[in-house]
Amino acid sequence: MSILRSVVCGCGSYLPERIVTNAELAERVDTTDEWIVQRTGIHQRHIAADDEPTSVVGLKAAQAALADAGMDASEIDLIIVATATPDHTFPATATQIQAALGITEGAAFDLQAVCSGFVFALATADNFIKAGGARAALVIGAETFSRILDWEDRTTCVLFGDGAGAVVLKAEQGEGTLADRGVLATHIRSDGRYKNKLYVDGGAGSTKTVGFLRMEGKEVFRHAVLNLAETVRHTFAATGLSGNDIDWFVPHQANRRIIDATADKLGIAHDRVVVTVDRHGNTSAASIPLALAEAHRDGRIQPGQLVLIEAMGGGFTWGSALIRW
Ligand code: UT7
């Protein structure tokens, strides 16, 4: 059966220049390089400059993705920016990126699913493309979490970083089989009962402030390992695939221990896992496209290979997607 597929035809990323090491953080809060590395696998993170809001970080990733695709911005008719750190409450960061790219046609909007944002945005763009509502989409994950961190809270400020990644999806006719290139399956979930485990304690509609990130790390860790395995098993059941069939596993990069535990549960060998958390920290919605761009650029991910992505974040939200590159 002939169907429309969303094929990845470009991928790019951007990391702010400034690198903050664990040693530098240990000068600010009561922590050590040893604790951070042992509990999270993080060695360093990038932090955006004052004149680099999320739209600027996201724009640079979008430009890199378009260049990689060999496409002109005018060909894009849908932009979705997954972010929990928009420049402003409104207008959407996506419309700022749209304008900066010189695009005046189509639609651009933000999507808020925190660390799962890229998976949710990819699923949304894929459904637009499959339904004939868009022909070429930019899906961007862009964050400046450094701006919502309480830099005196050692339990959270050591975990996160800034950055952005983007993919260009293009509608192509497929055969409707797993041999098709493009997004083959998506699965997204949420459960708002867990709001208080991971949230920001401010907002335009409540405190009229931006607020700071708060997290019960241990609880989030426990749910992450359970939910991530569940969503991937759903994607495996929907496609009849298993861990052995996956060429590259590109998980959300929150904690090396969560990544390893999830790969083990799913039967995916560690040398098939793309890891960036050591150098990027947790960049929320940007973490997956940043990792995809790195593995695409260095030649690990090759056209035709099967790529599995998954993420879990505040809400709780979680999800996974299978892409034939
Ligand atoms: O992207 C969204 C999803 N987010 C996540 O997936 C994050 C999930 N959670 C985690 O990654 C881990 O739970 C953390 C890395 C946040 C924490 O690791 P943990 O092994 O769960 O440690 P813990 O929270 O149980 O803390 C252990 C100890 C505590 O001291 P006591 O109570 O045992 O005396 C903490 O106060 O470590 C202490 N601690 C620290 N010590 C040095 C907490 N943060 C630090 C720190 N430096 N930065």
mmCIF file of all heavy atoms in Angstrom, residues 272-310:
data_model
loop_
_atom_site.group_PDB
_atom_site.id
_atom_site.type_symbol
_atom_site.label_atom_id
_atom_site.label_comp_id
_atom_site.label_asym_id
_atom_site.label_seq_id
_atom_site.Cartn_x
_atom_site.Cartn_y
_atom_site.Cartn_z
ATOM 1 N N ARG A 272 25.965 0.197 20.075
ATOM 2 C CA ARG A 272 24.946 0.702 19.138
ATOM 3 C C ARG A 272 24.233 1.932 19.723
ATOM 4 O O ARG A 272 23.257 2.413 19.153
ATOM 5 C CB ARG A 272 23.874 -0.382 18.871
ATOM 6 C CG ARG A 272 24.415 -1.659 18.301
ATOM 7 C CD ARG A 272 24.480 -1.585 16.782
ATOM 8 N NE ARG A 272 25.811 -1.257 16.306
ATOM 9 C CZ ARG A 272 26.092 -0.909 15.049
ATOM 10 N NH1 ARG A 272 25.153 -0.864 14.140
ATOM 11 N NH2 ARG A 272 27.307 -0.617 14.686
ATOM 12 N N VAL A 273 24.709 2.394 20.885
ATOM 13 C CA VAL A 273 24.040 3.501 21.582
ATOM 14 C C VAL A 273 24.839 4.789 21.359
ATOM 15 O O VAL A 273 26.059 4.814 21.540
ATOM 16 C CB VAL A 273 23.946 3.214 23.098
ATOM 17 C CG1 VAL A 273 23.156 4.320 23.800
ATOM 18 C CG2 VAL A 273 23.290 1.856 23.356
ATOM 19 N N VAL A 274 24.146 5.852 20.955
ATOM 20 C CA VAL A 274 24.802 7.152 20.779
ATOM 21 C C VAL A 274 24.705 7.911 22.108
ATOM 22 O O VAL A 274 23.616 8.138 22.621
ATOM 23 C CB VAL A 274 24.147 7.962 19.638
ATOM 24 C CG1 VAL A 274 24.792 9.345 19.524
ATOM 25 C CG2 VAL A 274 24.261 7.203 18.315
ATOM 26 N N VAL A 275 25.879 8.267 22.649
ATOM 27 C CA VAL A 275 25.938 8.942 23.952
ATOM 28 C C VAL A 275 26.610 10.307 23.806
ATOM 29 O O VAL A 275 27.718 10.402 23.259
ATOM 30 C CB VAL A 275 26.712 8.083 24.977
ATOM 31 C CG1 VAL A 275 26.828 8.818 26.312
ATOM 32 C CG2 VAL A 275 26.017 6.739 25.180
ATOM 33 N N THR A 276 25.930 11.339 24.284
ATOM 34 C CA THR A 276 26.512 12.690 24.292
ATOM 35 C C THR A 276 26.420 13.332 25.664
ATOM 36 O O THR A 276 26.931 14.429 25.861
ATOM 37 C CB THR A 276 25.776 13.618 23.293
ATOM 38 O OG1 THR A 276 24.390 13.607 23.635
ATOM 39 C CG2 THR A 276 25.938 13.173 21.859
ATOM 40 N N VAL A 277 25.733 12.647 26.593
ATOM 41 C CA VAL A 277 25.462 13.248 27.907
ATOM 42 C C VAL A 277 26.762 13.635 28.619
ATOM 43 O O VAL A 277 26.801 14.604 29.379
ATOM 44 C CB VAL A 277 24.590 12.301 28.777
ATOM 45 C CG1 VAL A 277 25.355 11.054 29.207
ATOM 46 C CG2 VAL A 277 24.022 13.041 29.973
ATOM 47 N N ASP A 278 27.839 12.910 28.329
ATOM 48 C CA ASP A 278 29.128 13.220 28.964
ATOM 49 C C ASP A 278 29.605 14.624 28.633
ATOM 50 O O ASP A 278 30.180 15.313 29.463
ATOM 51 C CB ASP A 278 30.195 12.178 28.553
ATOM 52 C CG ASP A 278 30.282 11.989 27.036
ATOM 53 O OD1 ASP A 278 29.272 12.219 26.340
ATOM 54 O OD2 ASP A 278 31.365 11.621 26.556
ATOM 55 N N ARG A 279 29.328 15.085 27.407
ATOM 56 C CA ARG A 279 29.809 16.401 26.960
ATOM 57 C C ARG A 279 28.734 17.488 26.911
ATOM 58 O O ARG A 279 29.034 18.666 26.956
ATOM 59 C CB ARG A 279 30.450 16.272 25.568
ATOM 60 C CG ARG A 279 31.794 15.557 25.624
ATOM 61 C CD ARG A 279 32.135 14.940 24.282
ATOM 62 N NE ARG A 279 31.217 13.844 23.981
ATOM 63 C CZ ARG A 279 30.468 13.780 22.872
ATOM 64 N NH1 ARG A 279 30.543 14.697 21.954
ATOM 65 N NH2 ARG A 279 29.647 12.759 22.685
ATOM 66 N N HIS A 280 27.453 17.071 26.794
ATOM 67 C CA HIS A 280 26.366 18.053 26.654
ATOM 68 C C HIS A 280 25.546 18.227 27.926
ATOM 69 O O HIS A 280 24.811 19.202 28.033
ATOM 70 C CB HIS A 280 25.394 17.645 25.534
ATOM 71 C CG HIS A 280 26.032 17.507 24.188
ATOM 72 N ND1 HIS A 280 25.364 17.035 23.081
ATOM 73 C CD2 HIS A 280 27.296 17.797 23.763
ATOM 74 C CE1 HIS A 280 26.182 17.034 22.031
ATOM 75 N NE2 HIS A 280 27.352 17.470 22.425
ATOM 76 N N GLY A 281 25.615 17.274 28.868
ATOM 77 C CA GLY A 281 24.663 17.263 29.971
ATOM 78 C C GLY A 281 23.273 16.999 29.408
ATOM 79 O O GLY A 281 23.125 16.544 28.265
ATOM 80 N N ASN A 282 22.239 17.281 30.205
ATOM 81 C CA ASN A 282 20.859 17.094 29.764
ATOM 82 C C ASN A 282 20.382 18.395 29.115
ATOM 83 O O ASN A 282 20.205 19.396 29.807
ATOM 84 C CB ASN A 282 19.998 16.729 30.981
ATOM 85 C CG ASN A 282 18.532 16.505 30.622
ATOM 86 O OD1 ASN A 282 18.109 16.792 29.508
ATOM 87 N ND2 ASN A 282 17.776 16.003 31.578
ATOM 88 N N THR A 283 20.173 18.361 27.806
ATOM 89 C CA THR A 283 19.711 19.566 27.105
ATOM 90 C C THR A 283 18.219 19.462 26.766
ATOM 91 O O THR A 283 17.749 20.079 25.804
ATOM 92 C CB THR A 283 20.527 19.826 25.821
ATOM 93 O OG1 THR A 283 20.435 18.649 24.990
ATOM 94 C CG2 THR A 283 21.984 20.130 26.115
ATOM 95 N N SER A 284 17.490 18.673 27.545
ATOM 96 C CA SER A 284 16.038 18.565 27.410
ATOM 97 C C SER A 284 15.657 18.230 25.958
ATOM 98 O O SER A 284 16.207 17.296 25.380
ATOM 99 C CB SER A 284 15.396 19.864 27.917
ATOM 100 O OG SER A 284 13.992 19.791 27.860
ATOM 101 N N ALA A 285 14.751 18.990 25.353
ATOM 102 C CA ALA A 285 14.252 18.655 24.008
ATOM 103 C C ALA A 285 15.332 18.677 22.939
ATOM 104 O O ALA A 285 15.138 18.153 21.840
ATOM 105 C CB ALA A 285 13.132 19.612 23.616
ATOM 106 N N ALA A 286 16.477 19.288 23.243
ATOM 107 C CA ALA A 286 17.554 19.358 22.246
ATOM 108 C C ALA A 286 18.428 18.114 22.253
ATOM 109 O O ALA A 286 19.207 17.899 21.318
ATOM 110 C CB ALA A 286 18.417 20.589 22.506
ATOM 111 N N SER A 287 18.318 17.281 23.275
ATOM 112 C CA SER A 287 19.338 16.239 23.445
ATOM 113 C C SER A 287 19.327 15.201 22.324
ATOM 114 O O SER A 287 20.381 14.787 21.840
ATOM 115 C CB SER A 287 19.224 15.584 24.824
ATOM 116 O OG SER A 287 18.343 14.492 24.817
ATOM 117 N N ILE A 288 18.141 14.779 21.890
ATOM 118 C CA ILE A 288 18.084 13.752 20.838
ATOM 119 C C ILE A 288 18.566 14.303 19.486
ATOM 120 O O ILE A 288 19.439 13.703 18.853
ATOM 121 C CB ILE A 288 16.676 13.115 20.727
ATOM 122 C CG1 ILE A 288 16.394 12.286 21.986
ATOM 123 C CG2 ILE A 288 16.557 12.250 19.470
ATOM 124 C CD1 ILE A 288 14.974 11.752 22.065
ATOM 125 N N PRO A 289 18.037 15.459 19.022
ATOM 126 C CA PRO A 289 18.550 15.946 17.723
ATOM 127 C C PRO A 289 20.030 16.324 17.773
ATOM 128 O O PRO A 289 20.723 16.216 16.746
ATOM 129 C CB PRO A 289 17.646 17.141 17.396
ATOM 130 C CG PRO A 289 17.045 17.552 18.690
ATOM 131 C CD PRO A 289 16.906 16.295 19.491
ATOM 132 N N LEU A 290 20.534 16.741 18.938
ATOM 133 C CA LEU A 290 21.983 16.987 19.061
ATOM 134 C C LEU A 290 22.753 15.683 18.859
ATOM 135 O O LEU A 290 23.774 15.644 18.157
ATOM 136 C CB LEU A 290 22.306 17.555 20.443
ATOM 137 C CG LEU A 290 22.317 19.073 20.589
ATOM 138 C CD1 LEU A 290 22.239 19.476 22.057
ATOM 139 C CD2 LEU A 290 23.566 19.670 19.960
ATOM 140 N N ALA A 291 22.261 14.610 19.464
ATOM 141 C CA ALA A 291 22.941 13.313 19.341
ATOM 142 C C ALA A 291 22.786 12.755 17.929
ATOM 143 O O ALA A 291 23.735 12.190 17.361
ATOM 144 C CB ALA A 291 22.385 12.338 20.380
ATOM 145 N N LEU A 292 21.598 12.917 17.333
ATOM 146 C CA LEU A 292 21.387 12.461 15.951
ATOM 147 C C LEU A 292 22.362 13.179 15.016
ATOM 148 O O LEU A 292 22.995 12.550 14.155
ATOM 149 C CB LEU A 292 19.952 12.778 15.502
ATOM 150 C CG LEU A 292 18.821 11.904 16.036
ATOM 151 C CD1 LEU A 292 17.474 12.493 15.618
ATOM 152 C CD2 LEU A 292 18.936 10.459 15.555
ATOM 153 N N ALA A 293 22.490 14.504 15.204
ATOM 154 C CA ALA A 293 23.354 15.287 14.318
ATOM 155 C C ALA A 293 24.804 14.859 14.451
ATOM 156 O O ALA A 293 25.525 14.750 13.447
ATOM 157 C CB ALA A 293 23.194 16.774 14.625
ATOM 158 N N GLU A 294 25.227 14.582 15.678
ATOM 159 C CA GLU A 294 26.616 14.167 15.881
ATOM 160 C C GLU A 294 26.897 12.833 15.181
ATOM 161 O O GLU A 294 27.896 12.689 14.463
ATOM 162 C CB GLU A 294 26.914 14.048 17.383
ATOM 163 C CG GLU A 294 28.352 13.654 17.658
ATOM 164 C CD GLU A 294 28.694 13.676 19.144
ATOM 165 O OE1 GLU A 294 28.755 14.764 19.723
ATOM 166 O OE2 GLU A 294 28.892 12.584 19.716
ATOM 167 N N ALA A 295 25.991 11.870 15.360
ATOM 168 C CA ALA A 295 26.217 10.536 14.784
ATOM 169 C C ALA A 295 26.016 10.527 13.266
ATOM 170 O O ALA A 295 26.591 9.710 12.563
ATOM 171 C CB ALA A 295 25.295 9.526 15.457
ATOM 172 N N HIS A 296 25.202 11.453 12.777
ATOM 173 C CA HIS A 296 25.007 11.612 11.324
ATOM 174 C C HIS A 296 26.268 12.233 10.704
ATOM 175 O O HIS A 296 26.796 11.749 9.706
ATOM 176 C CB HIS A 296 23.785 12.506 11.107
ATOM 177 C CG HIS A 296 23.567 12.979 9.716
ATOM 178 N ND1 HIS A 296 23.288 12.134 8.667
ATOM 179 C CD2 HIS A 296 23.567 14.237 9.190
ATOM 180 C CE1 HIS A 296 23.140 12.853 7.555
ATOM 181 N NE2 HIS A 296 23.304 14.129 7.854
ATOM 182 N N ARG A 297 26.774 13.261 11.387
ATOM 183 C CA ARG A 297 27.948 13.997 10.889
ATOM 184 C C ARG A 297 29.202 13.126 10.862
ATOM 185 O O ARG A 297 29.981 13.161 9.926
ATOM 186 C CB ARG A 297 28.177 15.203 11.793
ATOM 187 C CG ARG A 297 28.829 16.380 11.136
ATOM 188 C CD ARG A 297 28.729 17.644 11.966
ATOM 189 N NE ARG A 297 28.784 17.445 13.392
ATOM 190 C CZ ARG A 297 27.866 17.892 14.252
ATOM 191 N NH1 ARG A 297 26.837 18.563 13.809
ATOM 192 N NH2 ARG A 297 27.988 17.666 15.536
ATOM 193 N N ASP A 298 29.387 12.310 11.916
ATOM 194 C CA ASP A 298 30.628 11.518 11.971
ATOM 195 C C ASP A 298 30.506 10.180 11.223
ATOM 196 O O ASP A 298 31.421 9.359 11.266
ATOM 197 C CB ASP A 298 31.099 11.331 13.419
ATOM 198 C CG ASP A 298 30.194 10.444 14.264
ATOM 199 O OD1 ASP A 298 29.409 9.660 13.696
ATOM 200 O OD2 ASP A 298 30.272 10.527 15.508
ATOM 201 N N GLY A 299 29.359 9.978 10.553
ATOM 202 C CA GLY A 299 29.222 8.821 9.671
ATOM 203 C C GLY A 299 28.764 7.541 10.344
ATOM 204 O O GLY A 299 28.679 6.501 9.688
ATOM 205 N N ARG A 300 28.422 7.618 11.641
ATOM 206 C CA ARG A 300 27.892 6.407 12.272
ATOM 207 C C ARG A 300 26.528 6.047 11.672
ATOM 208 O O ARG A 300 26.304 4.938 11.206
ATOM 209 C CB ARG A 300 27.758 6.600 13.797
ATOM 210 C CG ARG A 300 29.017 6.222 14.561
ATOM 211 C CD ARG A 300 28.862 6.481 16.033
ATOM 212 N NE ARG A 300 28.884 7.904 16.339
ATOM 213 C CZ ARG A 300 28.658 8.434 17.551
ATOM 214 N NH1 ARG A 300 28.354 7.643 18.566
ATOM 215 N NH2 ARG A 300 28.724 9.737 17.736
ATOM 216 N N ILE A 301 25.594 6.988 11.682
ATOM 217 C CA ILE A 301 24.260 6.716 11.125
ATOM 218 C C ILE A 301 24.309 6.876 9.605
ATOM 219 O O ILE A 301 24.642 7.939 9.098
ATOM 220 C CB ILE A 301 23.191 7.664 11.708
ATOM 221 C CG1 ILE A 301 23.134 7.560 13.236
ATOM 222 C CG2 ILE A 301 21.834 7.350 11.095
ATOM 223 C CD1 ILE A 301 22.103 8.476 13.888
ATOM 224 N N GLN A 302 24.006 5.778 8.905
ATOM 225 C CA GLN A 302 24.058 5.763 7.439
ATOM 226 C C GLN A 302 22.641 5.655 6.857
ATOM 227 O O GLN A 302 21.758 5.071 7.496
ATOM 228 C CB GLN A 302 24.870 4.542 6.980
ATOM 229 C CG GLN A 302 26.360 4.646 7.270
ATOM 230 C CD GLN A 302 27.036 5.702 6.408
ATOM 231 O OE1 GLN A 302 26.727 5.862 5.236
ATOM 232 N NE2 GLN A 302 27.953 6.452 7.019
ATOM 233 N N PRO A 303 22.435 6.202 5.651
ATOM 234 C CA PRO A 303 21.120 6.076 5.016
ATOM 235 C C PRO A 303 20.671 4.623 4.968
ATOM 236 O O PRO A 303 21.476 3.732 4.696
ATOM 237 C CB PRO A 303 21.359 6.625 3.601
ATOM 238 C CG PRO A 303 22.520 7.547 3.753
ATOM 239 C CD PRO A 303 23.390 6.953 4.822
ATOM 240 N N GLY A 304 19.399 4.399 5.274
ATOM 241 C CA GLY A 304 18.845 3.046 5.242
ATOM 242 C C GLY A 304 18.893 2.339 6.580
ATOM 243 O O GLY A 304 18.258 1.299 6.757
ATOM 244 N N GLN A 305 19.640 2.899 7.541
ATOM 245 C CA GLN A 305 19.733 2.233 8.850
ATOM 246 C C GLN A 305 18.528 2.567 9.740
ATOM 247 O O GLN A 305 17.884 3.600 9.570
ATOM 248 C CB GLN A 305 21.025 2.656 9.558
ATOM 249 C CG GLN A 305 22.272 2.039 8.922
ATOM 250 C CD GLN A 305 23.512 2.248 9.788
ATOM 251 O OE1 GLN A 305 23.696 3.291 10.394
ATOM 252 N NE2 GLN A 305 24.361 1.234 9.825
ATOM 253 N N LEU A 306 18.273 1.654 10.691
ATOM 254 C CA LEU A 306 17.137 1.832 11.607
ATOM 255 C C LEU A 306 17.600 2.534 12.878
ATOM 256 O O LEU A 306 18.515 2.071 13.563
ATOM 257 C CB LEU A 306 16.590 0.459 12.005
ATOM 258 C CG LEU A 306 15.400 -0.104 11.240
ATOM 259 C CD1 LEU A 306 14.966 -1.413 11.886
ATOM 260 C CD2 LEU A 306 14.223 0.867 11.160
ATOM 261 N N VAL A 307 16.953 3.656 13.175
ATOM 262 C CA VAL A 307 17.314 4.473 14.331
ATOM 263 C C VAL A 307 16.127 4.514 15.282
ATOM 264 O O VAL A 307 15.000 4.825 14.873
ATOM 265 C CB VAL A 307 17.681 5.912 13.882
ATOM 266 C CG1 VAL A 307 18.011 6.779 15.077
ATOM 267 C CG2 VAL A 307 18.842 5.886 12.893
ATOM 268 N N LEU A 308 16.388 4.204 16.542
ATOM 269 C CA LEU A 308 15.346 4.245 17.576
ATOM 270 C C LEU A 308 15.625 5.413 18.504
ATOM 271 O O LEU A 308 16.743 5.550 19.012
ATOM 272 C CB LEU A 308 15.379 2.934 18.381
ATOM 273 C CG LEU A 308 14.469 2.867 19.602
ATOM 274 C CD1 LEU A 308 13.006 2.810 19.197
ATOM 275 C CD2 LEU A 308 14.819 1.639 20.457
ATOM 276 N N ILE A 309 14.614 6.279 18.722
ATOM 277 C CA ILE A 309 14.780 7.369 19.690
ATOM 278 C C ILE A 309 13.744 7.206 20.797
ATOM 279 O O ILE A 309 12.666 6.647 20.581
ATOM 280 C CB ILE A 309 14.677 8.771 19.035
ATOM 281 C CG1 ILE A 309 13.275 9.028 18.461
ATOM 282 C CG2 ILE A 309 15.716 8.952 17.941
ATOM 283 C CD1 ILE A 309 13.063 10.475 17.990
ATOM 284 N N GLU A 310 14.086 7.678 21.992
ATOM 285 C CA GLU A 310 13.116 7.675 23.098
ATOM 286 C C GLU A 310 13.455 8.788 24.074
ATOM 287 O O GLU A 310 14.609 9.239 24.130
ATOM 288 C CB GLU A 310 13.079 6.307 23.798
ATOM 289 C CG GLU A 310 14.441 5.725 24.192
ATOM 290 C CD GLU A 310 15.036 6.205 25.494
ATOM 291 O OE1 GLU A 310 14.879 7.387 25.834
ATOM 292 O OE2 GLU A 310 15.701 5.396 26.167
#
